[in-house]
Amino acid sequence: MLVTGASGQVGGELLTTLAPLGTVIAPSRAEMDLASASSVRAFLRASRPEWIVSAGAYTAVDKAESEPELAYAINAEAAGVIGEEAKALGAGVIHYSTDYVFNGAGTKPWVETDPTWPLGVYGASKLAGEQALLASGAAAMIFRTSWVYGATGKNFLRTILRLAREREELRIVNDQHGAPTWSRDLARMAAHVIGACGGSPENAGTFAGVYHAAGAGETTWAGFAAEAIRMLQEREPAAKLARVTGIPTVEYPTPAARPANSRLNCGKLTATFGWEMPEWRDSLTQVIREID
Ligand SMILES: NC(=O)c1ccc[n+]([C@@H]2O[C@H](COP(=O)([O-])OP(=O)(O)OC[C@H]3O[C@@H](n4cnc5c(N)ncnc54)[C@H](OP(=O)(O)O)[C@@H]3O)[C@@H](O)[C@H]2O)c1
């Protein structure tokens, strides 16, 4: 099994969750640069994996607005090359994508067949990656997720907990709705999906397509922050932590627009693989226990 993005949030967790299933290789950026199609092709041809678990991505949502070529090279072109090489090798592909493929209209949780309409370069590049992967004809399963966080790496939760110790008040957006998703839950899901294919990439073709995979339940960024701070306060009763004040998105302008409705309906994931993503609060409870 080859894992891309092993130094990232999901990739790091994959190294642990996939290990019991077989040999895992995790090329560094120098060994397999996702920004270079020839580098990706060469590494895949030399290593000949049975599974490619593709967690590497250009994830700097705002920076993508000023670096569209790089975002597309990594998120779209590399995904297409992974698809072509996987098809040639007969490898199965597990690929992560994003709620940012949607425009955030309405309040209903998005289903996989809903029309896509990305609001920015990051979402558009990830959508192009989905399309390239599907067009390659590889046995590729694409999992769109949202609001990924974990005990390590660069993420909203870690930023909030740091700021909560430094400030009295945190003003956080409360009109974007979605679900935080623990990186470890996404890695466990990948191991489950490989297991559901009997470990055999030949069976992956049956399941090829797009799935939604986010933490169960929903909240806002302000709700997520408030809950995390409440849990940290329980862990450290003496700590002086900030209170959270909800603000509308218009008061927190960013280079890339965010979808107001990021809710993802994960019914297809459960119906197909018998896998339920845990409630976001349950996962957060565990992360708060282990975070520094
Ligand atoms: N984070 C979120 O909130 C979120 C939400 C929805 C979907 N997703 C999707 O979920 C997946 C996993 O995200 P994540 O949060 O784990 O991402 P992450 O922590 O930002 O990690 C990204 C990984 O990609 C690697 N990478 C970036 N450019 C590369 C290049 N040119 N060559 C090789 N490797 C490169 C990074 O390596 P370096 O360490 O060398 O930079 C890192 O290992 C991605 O597909 C992402 O689009 C994320």
Side-chain angles (χ1 to χ4, degrees):
M1 292 164 285
L2 181 143
V3 172
T4 72
S7 58
Q9 300 191 79
V10 177
E13 295 287 349
L14 281 164
L15 297 183
T16 316
T17 57
L18 297 184
L21 304 183
T23 308
V24 180
I25 49 174
S28 66
R29 189 189 274 248
E31 290 168 311
M32 182 172 141
D33 181 359
L34 294 171
S36 155
S38 57
S39 164
V40 174
R41 240 184 249 292
F43 196 88
L44 291 177
R45 287 183 186 181
S47 56
R48 305 185 60 79
E50 287 178 31
W51 291 92
I52 301 167
V53 188
S54 156
Y58 182 107
T59 56
V61 174
D62 289 317
K63 211 167 159 211
E65 297 298 311
S66 52
E67 284 187 341
E69 290 86 8
L70 186 58
Y72 269 86
I74 294 171
N75 289 344
E77 284 152 45
V81 172
I82 285 172
E84 286 165 19
E85 295 302 317
K87 170 92 178 149
L89 289 168
V93 180
I94 292 176
H95 180 80
Y96 295 95
S97 188
T98 173
D99 54 310
Y100 284 26
V101 299
F102 294 116
N103 67 3
T107 55
K108 265 177 49 191
W110 299 98
V111 294
E112 289 79 356
T113 48
D114 280 333
T116 49
W117 185 336
L119 298 176
V121 170
Y122 167 73
S125 67
K126 290 292 293 182
L127 178 61
E130 290 185 3
Q131 290 163 344
L133 203 41
L134 293 173
S136 71
M141 295 164 281
I142 296 168
F143 298 92
R144 292 183 185 143
T145 188
S146 62
W147 301 14
V148 177
Y149 72 96
T152 57
K154 195 168 174 282
N155 62 61
F156 175 83
L157 175 71
R158 291 188 9 120
T159 304
I160 289 302
L161 295 183
R162 177 175 52 79
L163 294 176
R165 294 183 192 278
E166 296 169 4
R167 300 191 188 166
E168 284 188 2
E169 183 193 26
L170 297 179
R171 296 167 61 77
I172 303 178
V173 167
N174 67 358
D175 56 0
Q176 291 170 27
H177 303 264
T181 309
W182 185 15
S183 49
R184 191 172 298 165
D185 291 336
L186 289 168
R188 285 189 181 132
M189 180 202 70
H192 177 87
V193 165
I194 292 175
C197 296
S200 164
E202 291 98 72
N203 298 330
T206 329
F207 302 112
V210 177
Y211 300 85
H212 288 173
E218 65 167 89
T219 184
T220 64
W221 289 108
F224 180 22
E227 193 62 1
I229 292 171
R230 187 189 66 74
M231 289 177 184
L232 183 64
Q233 191 76 74
E234 255 177 35
R235 192 184 88 172
E236 299 176 20
K240 239 185 125 344
L241 302 175
R243 67 178 180 283
V244 172
T245 304
I247 57 165
T249 299
V250 287
E251 285 184 30
Y252 189 76
T254 49
R258 266 70 173 166
N261 174 22
S262 277
R263 299 170 182 95
L264 296 175
N265 178 323
C266 303
K268 183 181 171 191
L269 178 73
T270 306
T272 309
F273 298 108
W275 177 262
E276 286 201 35
M277 292 296 284
E279 282 287 330
W280 72 267
R281 271 195 187 82
D282 292 344
S283 295
L284 181 59
T285 306
Q286 291 188 56
V287 175
I288 295 289
R289 252 183 236 136
E290 65 181 60
I291 206 163
D292 286 342

